[in-house]
Amino acid sequence: MTHRIVIVDYGAGNLYSIERALDFIGVQAEVVSTPEKIAGAERIILPGVGAFKNGMRGLSERGLVGPLQEYVRSGRPLLGICLGMQLLMSESEEFGRYDGLNMVKGKVVRLDPALPGKERFKVPHVGWSRVIRRESSCAEMPDGWTEGVLKSLPNGFFAYFAHSFVVVPEDGSACIAQTKYGGATFCSCLQQNNLYGCQFHPERSGIEGLEIYRDFVRRN
Amino acid sequence: MCKNIRIIPRLDIKGENLVKGIHLEGLRVLGKPEDFAYEYCAGGADELLYIDIVASLYGRNNLIDIVRRTAANIFIPLTVGGGIRSVDDIRMMLRAGADKVAINTAVVKRPEFISEAANAFGSQCIVLSIEAKRTGDGTYEAYTDNGRERTGLDIFKWALRGAELGAGEILITSIDNEGTGKGFDIDLIRKMSAIVDIPVISCGGAGKMGDFEDAVVSGSADAISAASVFHYHLVKTQSVPQKFNLKSNLDHLAKSLSSDGASFGAIETFSVKGLKSYLVGKGLPIRPVMSAHILIEPNAENIL
């Protein structure tokens, strides 16, 4: 393994569990927070928890917005986790309206799981839920699941979620897997060209989650 | 549908040891927390909860080292509590491998610490820990320091305030039922689950599998935490290293009665996997234990 894998540290939460997950599968990753390190990377993992606004501010303050956009334009792979995936979108409606990295057209909106009836679905959505394949509209075409970071996982595997917001890409085919929570069905795995995203936390989703990192660091 | 109840083994830690008592008192050493944690993770636990009962964040054999050793080999969420007083303390815990922190005393003293912590790390990282004790008039008062210190706070008002300030989850421990095996305090769980919009983790009193079912069906619990039922199972089946004279500890616990007659003898023991099979059999929404969740050993062939 010769790819230079970096985890971007922009002050938004917990990247150490990702570092440990990579370590466990035998991959050395570098935690970076400078434009130069982004420019020189061959694989980028963009982690993140917390508020969208703070995440974008963390990236801007470190001068990382331009370098990340430039990196993605060059065609190299980037994997966003949780807030890290949400930041890839054009904009967010989290406590106001905020611009994102605008790499994937679409919005970040509040998760609304309310269902008529007795059972309550609380937000944040915290816990294990199934990740379900979104069938391709064109049956003979390989879909994102077969091609992407989920390819070694069974349809409907369980992953660990902790979030209050979800992504809605304009191009529905960018959503390769969905998850149901109460009355909501949301995009839990995103792929568009060299961009990958998980709303769940692969590093906290047991052995299946580790497979996602394994695939991401291997892919060409 | 689509809401899976989380089963969360709780590990109370003193020094470098996993301990257990009744009503959070009369502690006995059971073994190394990281050994138990590994077994729970492999056995299908949805998360783990570490509580340092002496809050020895900076002491010798401190919690940080235990968390670091634990987190190297488990890939499910780990919540750590006990003695967390500052944003720097939280950062240090996360760096060591925790995903969330549970805070009680420090936020009772200074509630705005909840907001500071949530702003810095996100609400999903901040668990408000509340120790509840029944008062004479049917209400519940919040306590700190493992049920030793009164706060004068009504737990429901305090929980609402905490949620408003940015806590992402509530951990509610019934001091009255803790360690007794007489079942969860269903009234407490039901009221707490109904009153706040954030997930509630219920803890204290599990003695048999049916207690978990009650907590979900009657109490509407979002997540359930338990200690004795799982720990004693691992000890009895010798699934964890036997470095201590556990038999004498268990004998002691079996004989010991607390002042109100609560006894360790009331507690059945079972694995997380056994419990989950039982709950699935009852038609409850549970993440099943899959063989794929058996952990691979680090440095095995599957490394790149």
Side-chain angles (χ1 to χ4, degrees), chain B residues 17-269:
Chain B
N17 295 317
L18 171 67
V19 295
K20 195 66 199 84
I22 296 175
H23 299 314
L24 302 171
E25 290 176 341
L27 303 167
R28 286 294 174 275
V29 169
L30 296 182
K32 297 283 180 220
E34 57 267 35
D35 294 335
F36 284 73
Y38 185 87
E39 290 299 325
Y40 291 138
C41 183
D46 295 313
E47 294 185 32
L48 295 174
L49 174 62
Y50 271 20
I51 300 289
D52 185 336
I53 56 162
V54 290
S56 60
L57 214 49
Y58 297 93
R60 215 157 56 88
N61 298 325
N62 64 50
L63 189 56
I64 303 279
D65 292 333
I66 297 173
V67 169
R68 193 175 291 124
R69 286 198 297 272
T70 304
N73 292 314
I74 65 155
F75 297 99
I76 59 174
L78 172 63
T79 301
V80 180
I84 287 164
R85 295 177 190 87
S86 68
V87 164
D88 283 342
D89 289 346
I90 300 174
R91 186 172 293 115
M92 200 166 59
M93 258 330 148
L94 298 182
R95 210 177 269 265
D99 298 282
K100 319 179 205 181
V101 290
I103 318 177
N104 182 354
T105 311
V107 292
V108 165
K109 286 184 183 155
R110 212 170 59 80
E112 53 282 17
F113 179 36
I114 296 175
S115 301
E116 292 162 18
N119 284 334
F121 305 104
S123 287
Q124 83 300 322
C125 186
I126 311 303
V127 179
L128 171 59
S129 170
I130 301 177
E131 296 168 7
K133 202 166 189 171
R134 273 179 197 273
T135 58
D137 60 2
T139 60
Y140 292 88
E141 182 178 344
Y143 276 64
T144 63
D145 299 275
N146 306 303
R148 285 192 298 272
E149 302 291 331
R150 302 179 61 164
T151 67
L153 296 169
D154 173 85
I155 60 159
F156 301 113
K157 286 181 192 155
W158 173 224
L160 279 172
R161 173 103 198 274
E164 202 178 281
L165 288 168
E169 289 178 84
I170 306 272
L171 167 66
I172 181 81
T173 304
S174 162
I175 296 167
D176 305 298
N177 292 29
E178 201 283 329
T180 65
K182 64 185 181 189
F184 294 99
D185 184 336
I186 299 295
D187 273 351
L188 171 68
I189 296 176
R190 189 195 301 119
K191 279 184 198 156
M192 186 57 86
S193 295
I195 207 162
V196 292
D197 289 326
I198 56 178
V200 175
I201 306 165
S202 300
C203 185
K208 56 185 190 301
M209 291 192 190
D211 294 337
F212 289 80
E213 189 184 352
D214 284 348
V216 177
V217 175
S218 309
S220 300
D222 301 297
I224 308 172
S225 190
S228 310
V229 291
F230 302 135
H231 298 341
Y232 299 147
H233 176 81
L234 288 187
V235 171
K236 278 185 180 172
T237 55
Q238 305 200 340
S239 308
V240 285
Q242 309 278 303
K243 285 180 93 171
F244 302 86
N245 190 350
L246 290 163
K247 189 168 180 318
S248 81
N249 277 334
L250 284 179
D251 288 347
H252 174 92
L253 280 165
K255 277 183 234 142
S256 65
L257 288 170
S258 69
S259 52
D260 61 355
S263 159
F264 161 73
I267 296 174
E268 293 174 12
T269 66

